Amino acid sequence: MDWQTQNTKVYNENAAELAAHFVGAGSRIADIERGLHLANKPTHAKVIEIGCGDGRDATEIVKRVAWYQGFDPSSGLLEIAKAKNPSAIFTLSDALSYEYPNNINVVYAFASLLHVDKDDMREVFKKVHKSLRKNGIFYISLKARDLYTAEIKNDQFGERMFFYYNPEIIKAIAGNKYLSIYEDYQVIGKTTWFTIALKKQ
């Protein structure tokens, strides 16, 4: 099965339901501000959000930066994001095919690289590294497991493929082109998540 197509199909068919599902969670304000702080609080920050989804984090990011672009492979979720944030720039794309601009201060990837396998993750890291300014920040949250794992999940929204990582695996993928400057674990419901902030070297 082409899991990228399948995953996007699930998000398109359930866009409104998924957006409603995440309303209670709100925006990740603390993470947004931490990413900018770790990037030395740039005055005219330029920010990319990988997998912006329905735009719930874009709402807070755009208040704090001079330039923002969010992208997502789901046209259904992007329609909701555009309605919430009419002044923001959104693009239909995935993490591998997106044309990353230069001189970016922070690239956020909140729970959006969950469907990216290890080989493709290496390519994403290369593209982000080229896009970031020196000392720019790649700020990521992912589901955690002790070992790299691929798992098919079937829930009320449909069948999707997920990939699980941990900070050590991500640092190995990042190599010496990035330095880990923040790591944290969180348990939400029955799922363990981790956050990692990597500084471009």
Side-chain angles (χ1 to χ4, degrees), residues 140-183:
I140 305 164
S141 64
L142 287 163
K143 293 184 178 184
R145 291 275 174 87
D146 289 340
L147 299 172
Y148 170 71
T149 309
E151 183 174 276
I152 297 168
K153 180 179 179 181
N154 202 333
D155 58 17
Q156 70 267 35
F157 302 115
E159 191 174 52
R160 290 165 288 167
M161 173 69 82
F162 287 85
F163 295 93
Y164 295 79
Y165 294 86
N166 60 50
E168 295 308 312
I169 297 169
I170 290 297
K171 285 186 283 190
I173 291 171
N176 61 9
K177 292 187 175 182
Y178 294 89
L179 176 67
S180 174
I181 57 172
Y182 175 81
E183 297 174 30

Side-chain angles (χ1 to χ4, degrees), residues 101-114:
N102 294 326
N103 296 315
I104 297 301
N105 297 100
V106 183
V107 175
Y108 292 107
F110 294 125
S112 58
L113 297 173
L114 299 167

